[in-house]
Amino acid sequence: AELARVVLEQGLVCGCGGLGLGLALSWWIRGLARSAGTEVEIGMDLVAAVALATLLLSAFAALVSISRLRQVEPATVFQA
């Protein structure tokens, strides 16, 4: 149970990190587009939808890893 929590936590941390980088890059590109005379609209509803999708996909990927982790025999994990 603790190992599953760690895997889920790491998946969500990675998802949040990727989300932060992606949002920062989007705002930077938006600024470049604005300086070139093109207006790009990034609404908060879009940001929220992308954030939710990212966190759900990260959690799902972590759950897949957890299910595979539970199928592994502990002796094979620590074998040299």
Side-chain angles (χ1 to χ4, degrees), residues 56-75:
L56 286 175
L57 287 172
S58 297
F60 178 73
L63 292 175
V64 170
S65 295
I66 291 167
S67 71
R68 293 191 66 184
L69 183 65
R70 289 191 174 158
Q71 295 173 0
V72 173
E73 190 175 330

Side-chain angles (χ1 to χ4, degrees), residues 15-42:
C16 287
L19 179 64
L21 288 173
L23 287 174
L25 185 61
S26 296
W27 287 110
W28 180 69
I29 290 174
R30 179 179 181 234
L32 288 177
R34 182 179 285 168
S35 68
T38 303
E39 186 64 35
V40 177
E41 183 178 330
I42 302 175

Side-chain angles (χ1 to χ4, degrees), residues 6-27:
V6 169
V7 170
L8 182 60
E9 186 178 290
Q10 286 180 351
L12 291 175
V13 165
C14 289
C16 287
L19 179 64
L21 288 173
L23 287 174
L25 185 61
S26 296
W27 287 110

